[in-house]
Amino acid sequence: MDASSIISPLNDAQRLAVSAPSQAMLVLAGAGSGKTRVLVHRIAWHLRINRLSPQNILAVTFTNKAAREMRNRVEDLLNISARSMWIGTFHGLAHRLLRQHAKQAKLPETFQVMDSDDQLRIVKRLLKAMNIDDTKWPPKQVQWFINAQKEEGIRARHMADNGDFFHRQMLAVYKAYEELCDRSGLVDFAELLLRAHELLRDNDDLLNFYRQRFQQVHVDEFQDTNTIQYAWLRLLTEGNDNLFVVGDDDQSIYGWRGAKIENIFSFQRHYPGHQVVRLEQNYRSSGHILKAANILIANNDSRMGKELWTEAGEGELLSLYAAFNEQDEAYFVVEKIRQWVRDGGLRSDVAILYRSNAQSRQFEERLMTTGTPYRVYGGLRFFERMEIKNALAYLRLSANPHDDASFERVVNTPTRGIGAKTLDDMRILAREQALSLWQASIAMLDQNRLPARAATALRGFLNLIVQLGKDTEGFALYETVKHVVEASGLIDLYKKEKQDKGETRVENLEELVNAAKLFDYDSENAENMSELDLFLTHAALEAGEMQADSDEDCVQLMTLHSAKGLEFKLVFMVGMEEGLFPSQQATDDPGRLQEERRLCYVGITRAMQQLYLTYAESRRLYGKDSYPRPSRFLKEIPAEAIHEIRMRANVSRPVASVGTPTTKLGSTGKYRLGQSVRHEKFGEGVVLQTEGEGEQERVQINFRNAGIKWLMLAYAKLDTV
DNA sequence: GGTAAACACCTTTTT
DNA sequence: GGTGTTTACC
């Protein structure tokens, strides 16, 4: 393979980025402009043209999926094995560094990664143990505080008491949390990054080794990096100017979880010799869609600046539909989808995108009643399920009994008579003497500090854990897992649970055994971890798919956030209302509002062929009726790119469109605009207007099947739905 | 220790 | 209004 074959499938801007000499490079890649392609070809360029070995390449992404894709595409393009190339997520790579240099990182060899659920449990427990009021210091907020500090590289010992009691308590918990994690050999997600940073920062020889090894460093989705991630990248590359970052400031939608869009600006300061390349040619969407996206995002300030264009034609106009309420909205959307399918379209080419998960319900119901297959993204993932986490806790305990998080989790699951009192005493002892719960239990048993019954129960548990380890010696991984889920009593526990739920739990545990069987133990990259350790790490670092992939052709339902990076021929952006999108909390903060606008930009640019925007003039929100105004983003999209859809009955709507909604109430107040009603003969419908009073009061109703009718309230038999 | 009632919550999410 | 979590009670 020569230069031309790496370069020829690229456009001018892509080519410029891929073939540039080694230097700091910022590639501003608009939506659908081929950013992954540029990364992959850039790596190929280094390997083939600059004759770098795969070991000299580092490539960092945010998700395992993106890492896998990049690796596969490099392998496909060059027809090589990219195994020895460090491609992975920030967390995955940090973990790898820590495993390899556990000692220098001041970690026990057996350290385990915990997920945010484990972390939250630990915080809750600490609050209780420290007698801190969890209404004034909510566990979630404490967790957030700890992670935010770590992401800024700040440890508890770096923080001064600023005299504020609230802050002092936070700090105290942070400190206790760090101690507990150290004692238990537990590392949370933020800790992976922070410790990997400290490891390189404090060990010159290590740092030099890796700086020499990684001759080219590539970063995907650079706009999503947080402080510590960027600091880590700088350690590895500053002075060498070998940092190649790809990102899009207009698609930065994770500021709320610590992503620093400013890193893009800092990059330009920190790497003065850098070059900027803009990828603006879009290969995804048609003209009107791009125009809408461009004009919308132009309302933001302090952008790097970028305008998408396409060689494809104008395409179809965007469509705007004003629904009466959320049911009508769902009805409309699903009808359009059915039409699409009738016209030969695939359901999997269709996405319904919403701002918040709660909005999915209406659409699910409608899809269900029409028998349209669909798939909802989000929710619990495989390794996050309770039964799976319980099974993993047993496995972790048998590998490392000092893992307090796992100990707490299963000490009394299934119930074995170890009650709150016993545990409380144990926690106090553990805290006072800085012991793990495991050590504390042994101490209490040795000192006969427990009533006979509790002592027997606790001894039983300790023996069980030890026995699990002994029994499974020499077992294959899946045999170990199988033995543990059975011998721990988990299978029996869930078999007894009420039919439906228990059954799926047992199935999931069986699936876990299966996952262990399929687990690909890559001993080369194992960093002297056992297969079990590696499996447990895999479970924490990669929580797995949301649900089993069905091969059925499904309509895709997801939040705007999870749609990032995906594309669909037909897209519905629903709930385009003030208070929903942009969300209420964002409306009074210009910074957050701009992030909402970027989110809208992300949504629009998901659409390849057709984009529908919908909003409801009335919506039940938290059990109350609301009459939201249409989203400001609708007004920002140029009118000439939008086609406004009229009602199905083809009657001009009684309600004002974009602007103030008519919220005139009928005199009875019973039939409000947008109210769903049922009529004996005409079926279900929606109230459009009311007029008159008392005997003369009439309502206009749009019946789903019978069309629009005026009915006298005095005679019509109407029920509210 | 398991269930039912009371209660708080209510963006977005990956590792 | 719907859901998940804590509390109260048997």
Side-chain angles (χ1 to χ4, degrees):
Chain A
M1 170 165 297
D2 57 2
S4 74
S5 56
I6 293 177
I7 288 298
S8 61
L10 306 176
N11 67 34
D12 287 350
Q14 292 171 339
R15 202 168 289 182
L16 189 62
V18 166
S19 63
S22 175
Q23 63 181 325
M25 170 91 77
L26 169 59
V27 179
L28 290 169
S33 64
K35 89 184 152 72
T36 310
R37 163 172 282 234
V38 163
L39 275 167
V40 167
H41 283 247
R42 175 67 171 175
I43 291 171
W45 179 266
H46 284 313
L47 292 176
R48 277 297 143 88
I49 309 306
N50 294 337
R51 297 269 152 212
L52 290 189
S53 139
Q55 295 178 7
N56 298 131
I57 302 286
L58 176 67
V60 199
T61 63
F62 275 86
T63 66
N64 292 298
K65 196 173 149 212
R68 264 195 306 272
E69 191 192 340
M70 201 183 299
R71 187 181 292 278
N72 289 337
R73 283 176 64 170
V74 170
E75 290 183 339
D76 285 351
L77 182 63
L78 296 182
N79 206 7
I80 55 159
S81 162
R83 280 224 138 162
S84 63
M85 199 156 31
W86 280 42
I87 300 184
T89 62
F90 278 102
H91 295 85
L93 296 169
H95 171 259
R96 195 168 170 178
L97 278 176
L98 295 179
R99 280 287 171 206
Q100 226 157 71
H101 311 287
K103 207 166 174 194
Q104 278 155 295
K106 301 180 193 92
L107 281 172
E109 301 271 344
T110 57
F111 81 88
Q112 272 294 330
V113 181
M114 63 175 158
D115 66 16
S116 26
D117 180 59
D118 299 327
Q119 186 185 33
L120 184 63
R121 283 163 167 271
I122 290 182
V123 169
K124 278 186 184 158
R125 226 181 70 217
L126 280 175
L127 289 172
K128 204 169 262 171
M130 297 168 78
N131 240 327
I132 293 174
D133 182 354
D134 63 1
T135 56
K136 288 199 183 91
W137 289 268
K140 278 255 168 65
Q141 204 182 327
V142 176
Q143 182 187 25
W144 184 87
F145 173 87
I146 292 173
N147 289 335
Q149 302 313 316
K150 289 192 180 187
E151 276 162 18
E152 292 297 318
I154 303 165
R155 296 229 173 252
R157 67 183 131 81
H158 297 143
M159 299 181 72
D161 182 347
N162 67 3
D164 173 43
F165 184 58
F166 180 79
H167 184 260
R168 189 179 307 153
Q169 292 285 67
M170 284 285 200
L171 198 53
V173 185
Y174 184 12
K175 207 166 174 186
Y177 173 82
E178 280 187 317
E179 284 162 11
L180 189 144
C181 290
D182 281 346
R183 201 158 60 231
S184 306
L186 293 172
V187 173
D188 63 50
F189 290 134
E191 183 73 28
L192 284 171
L193 302 176
L194 175 53
R195 214 172 267 250
H197 178 255
E198 290 170 346
L199 173 71
L200 293 185
R201 186 197 60 194
D202 301 338
N203 294 281
D204 284 340
D205 44 336
L206 265 188
L207 179 60
N208 286 330
F209 172 79
Y210 282 108
R211 288 176 68 128
Q212 223 148 56
R213 169 169 184 164
F214 298 131
Q215 295 191 20
Q216 295 298 331
V217 179
H218 309 81
V219 186
D220 191 16
E221 306 278 18
F222 184 65
Q223 78 284 348
D224 288 339
T225 51
N226 64 28
T227 304
I228 198 77
Q229 287 161 338
Y230 180 49
W232 185 75
L233 292 170
R234 275 182 69 194
L235 266 182
L236 280 172
T237 60
E238 215 171 18
N240 287 340
D241 281 356
N242 55 345
L243 181 59
F244 185 96
V245 305
V246 180
D248 182 358
D249 53 323
D250 291 332
Q251 290 189 74
S252 158
I253 55 175
Y254 287 112
W256 52 274
R257 68 173 195 213
K260 291 272 187 305
I261 191 171
E262 307 90 74
N263 285 347
I264 291 187
F265 303 106
S266 313
F267 176 92
Q268 300 187 285
R269 260 204 332 278
H270 293 138
Y271 298 87
H274 76 279
Q275 189 183 348
V276 178
V277 175
R278 286 182 168 71
L279 305 183
E280 295 175 294
Q281 182 173 3
N282 175 290
Y283 297 96
R284 178 185 295 153
S285 313
S286 50
H288 284 303
I289 293 168
L290 291 183
K291 184 176 184 186
N294 280 332
I295 295 183
L296 175 99
I297 201 64
N299 287 290
N300 273 5
D301 48 47
S302 54
R303 297 174 56 218
M304 298 290 296
K306 206 165 13 64
E307 191 153 331
L308 298 175
W309 60 274
T310 179
E311 279 177 353
E314 296 275 85
E316 305 221 22
L317 290 172
L318 282 62
S319 303
L320 174 66
Y321 179 70
F324 302 111
N325 56 25
E326 68 271 28
Q327 276 111 13
D328 181 39
E329 185 183 43
Y331 189 90
F332 171 81
V333 168
V334 174
E335 272 324 293
K336 287 289 168 197
I337 293 174
R338 283 158 63 85
Q339 207 168 59
W340 167 268
V341 174
R342 274 200 299 276
D343 293 345
L346 279 175
R347 280 182 286 267
S348 54
D349 284 329
V350 183
I352 304 176
L353 308 182
Y354 34 79
R355 177 66 240 263
S356 72
N357 285 306
Q359 286 167 260
S360 75
R361 261 198 58 238
Q362 303 294 338
F363 297 95
E364 289 188 63
E365 277 170 16
R366 195 62 212 152
L367 287 161
M368 195 100 75
T369 54
T370 56
T372 315
Y374 66 91
R375 181 186 165 187
V376 188
Y377 283 68
L380 267 197
R381 298 163 1 146
F382 183 72
F383 285 108
E384 290 167 357
R385 291 166 200 276
M386 179 176 69
E387 60 276 18
I388 300 300
K389 295 217 67 172
N390 286 340
L392 294 176
Y394 274 104
L395 288 166
R396 289 166 69 144
L397 266 189
S398 69
N400 166 26
H402 305 296
D403 178 339
D404 279 5
S406 299
F407 189 102
E408 286 266 358
R409 187 161 193 118
V410 293
V411 63
N412 205 29
T413 313
T415 48
R416 47 175 69 88
I418 302 174
K421 180 75 180 68
T422 311
L423 280 172
D424 272 343
D425 292 348
M426 215 147 77
R427 290 189 195 109
I428 291 169
L429 181 70
R431 226 182 103 61
E432 277 172 356
Q433 307 197 14
L435 301 172
S436 68
L437 289 172
W438 180 266
Q439 292 166 320
S441 353
I442 291 172
M444 290 181 76
L445 287 173
D446 285 350
Q447 299 162 22
N448 285 320
R449 283 173 52 176
L450 289 171
R453 210 157 45 151
T456 314
L458 185 57
R459 200 167 285 124
F461 175 67
L462 299 187
N463 285 337
L464 171 66
I465 299 299
V466 174
Q467 196 59 42
L468 286 177
K470 282 190 193 151
D471 288 349
T472 56
E473 244 168 78
F475 273 25
L477 177 62
Y478 84 93
E479 290 172 321
T480 304
V481 177
K482 192 170 195 302
H483 179 76
V484 165
V485 295
E486 280 163 8
S488 64
L490 284 177
I491 293 263
D492 289 337
L493 171 71
Y494 295 125
K495 269 190 180 150
K496 270 184 270 166
E497 206 173 293
K498 281 186 263 210
Q499 305 84 16
D500 225 16
K501 259 213 163 114
E503 214 170 285
T504 52
R505 295 219 156 118
V506 173
E507 280 169 20
N508 283 334
L509 287 176
E510 283 161 1
E511 189 52 41
L512 181 68
V513 176
N514 200 36
K517 207 180 274 184
L518 297 174
F519 186 63
D520 179 20
Y521 181 57
D522 177 5
S523 52
E524 247 179 86
N525 290 323
E527 322 298 359
N528 57 47
M529 288 167 76
S530 74
E531 194 172 9
L532 176 60
D533 283 340
L534 213 63
F535 183 63
L536 292 171
T537 300
H538 168 80
L541 243 36
E542 186 164 3
E545 278 299 302
M546 305 283 178
Q547 54 211 72
D549 259 333
S550 82
D551 9 76
E552 211 179 356
D553 177 31
C554 285
V555 175
Q556 315 285 305
L557 277 73
M558 67 188 84
T559 62
L560 287 155
H561 279 91
S562 21
K564 192 174 150 207
L566 306 177
E567 59 180 26
F568 306 93
K569 287 184 181 161
L570 172 60
V571 169
F572 296 87
M573 287 173 70
V574 301
M576 300 292 298
E577 294 144 36
E578 284 293 304
L580 254 190
F581 189 36
S583 83
Q584 192 55 53
Q585 294 97 315
T587 43
D588 40 341
D589 177 341
R592 301 180 67 181
L593 190 64
Q594 299 206 20
E595 183 155 309
E596 295 282 306
R597 189 174 284 111
R598 292 194 291 268
L599 188 56
C600 188
Y601 175 81
V602 166
I604 293 173
T605 52
R606 295 314 94 194
M608 303 165 82
Q609 297 174 1
Q610 239 190 323
L611 175 61
Y612 282 89
L613 305 157
T614 69
Y615 66 93
E617 285 165 343
S618 125
R619 179 181 296 274
R620 270 191 97 79
L621 215 55
Y622 308 136
K624 279 215 238 38
D625 279 320
S626 67
Y627 300 92
R629 289 190 311 284
S631 171
R632 69 190 71 192
F633 300 146
L634 291 174
K635 283 172 238 173
E636 293 173 5
I637 296 172
E640 64 270 21
I642 299 190
H643 159 68
E644 212 170 325
I645 295 181
R646 301 288 156 191
M647 266 188 342
R648 288 183 294 287
N650 211 13
V651 176
S652 68
R653 275 179 299 119
V655 205
S657 62
V658 182
T660 26
T662 323
T663 53
K664 184 175 59 180
L665 296 177
S667 52
T668 60
K670 190 177 173 194
Y671 297 103
R672 290 178 307 272
L673 244 151
Q675 170 91 51
S676 294
V677 294
R678 185 181 289 110
H679 185 270
E680 260 190 328
K681 207 163 116 204
F682 301 134
E684 283 190 27
V686 174
V687 175
L688 299 188
Q689 289 191 72
T690 65
E691 72 174 35
E693 275 178 39
E695 289 280 295
Q696 297 301 310
E697 185 173 4
R698 304 195 308 153
V699 292
Q700 189 190 35
I701 297 167
N702 179 26
F703 290 105
R704 270 178 199 165
N705 300 318
I708 295 182
K709 306 220 183 282
W710 276 104
L711 298 175
M712 296 290 286
L713 265 190
Y715 308 114
K717 285 185 181 140
L718 280 179
D719 288 317
T720 53
V721 178

